[in-house]
Amino acid sequence: MELTPVAARILGCLLEKQRTTPDQYPLSLNALASACNQTTNRWPVVRYDADTVEAGLDELRAHQLIRREKPHGGRAIKYSQSLTAVVPVSEPGLALLAVLLLRGPQTAGELKGRCERLHEFADLDSVDAALAELRDHEDGPLVVQLPREPGHKESRWEEQLSTSVADPATAGSSTTGPGVAEVTRARSEPDLETRVAQLEAIVAELSARLDGLAAGSPQ
């Protein structure tokens, strides 16, 4: 199974919304498009139109990963995920897969924090155990642990349901889908240490400028 980035984003949204907004689940086409295009808890940020989402849904249907439903008395067709009917996965594993599908490779610590709304892990050991279960799945690895990068204390984990893109793309790059303007799946996201270091450098530069202004001001 190698899902395109569009199909992977849709599947991740269905897994997430089933747990975070059960009263609004299953999702209509419009609700799915809005979920895919969220600017929070997503990496990369995308802009999918309805045609693009429909193409992704067709791909998921071909893999039997979604169900079409028409609520009693309702007009709009709605969609729910059926991943567990194809590949048995525990509830902790589903939470991890959802976050990995929506935000790309992450460390166990990042996953623990970002899974809180979907499943509350007691500690990092429980995250590691769930990741190991996905890695050693009887149907083949659903996640893989990436080599630790130089300067990083922890290695990251990556889901194995979707295709990988070697080079990160920039915002607004086009894909093969009609009417799509998206940032293609990125391989990495600046971690907390990197962001803190960048902020510290900015603060130091601003402090130096203020000191220079103070020294040059008239007494």
Side-chain angles (χ1 to χ4, degrees), residues 213-219:
L213 290 173
S217 62
Q219 298 297 324

Side-chain angles (χ1 to χ4, degrees), residues 100 105 142-146 156-160 164 187:
L100 288 169
L142 301 179
V143 299
V144 64
Q145 189 171 20
L146 301 174
R156 296 177 300 156
W157 291 82
E158 182 181 50
E159 51 82 16
Q160 293 294 284
S164 295
R187 296 290 292 179

Side-chain angles (χ1 to χ4, degrees), residues 107 148-156 189-191 193-194:
T107 66
R148 186 167 61 86
E149 298 177 347
H152 292 260
K153 296 179 180 179
E154 297 182 69
S155 58
R156 296 177 300 156
E189 178 181 8
D191 61 16
E193 291 181 355
T194 301

Side-chain angles (χ1 to χ4, degrees), residues 2-17:
E2 290 190 350
L3 302 176
T4 62
V6 174
R9 173 62 60 92
I10 294 171
L11 181 59
C13 288
L14 288 171
L15 288 168
E16 176 196 58
K17 298 303 182 184

Side-chain angles (χ1 to χ4, degrees), residues 78-154:
K78 295 193 174 183
Y79 300 89
S80 60
Q81 64 84 19
S82 56
L83 174 64
T84 51
V86 179
V87 183
V89 180
S90 66
E91 188 62 27
L94 289 173
L96 291 170
L97 283 176
V99 175
L100 288 169
L101 285 165
L102 293 175
R103 300 195 63 155
Q106 296 157 77
T107 66
E110 290 170 332
L111 286 167
K112 182 180 182 299
R114 292 167 179 170
C115 279
E116 285 183 347
R117 297 182 307 135
L118 285 71
H119 178 84
E120 187 173 352
F121 288 95
D123 48 35
L124 278 178
D125 287 342
S126 59
V127 177
D128 290 335
L131 286 167
E133 182 179 324
L134 293 173
R135 180 196 60 203
D136 302 330
H137 198 279
E138 61 183 0
D139 293 325
L142 301 179
V143 299
V144 64
Q145 189 171 20
L146 301 174
R148 186 167 61 86
E149 298 177 347
H152 292 260
K153 296 179 180 179
E154 297 182 69

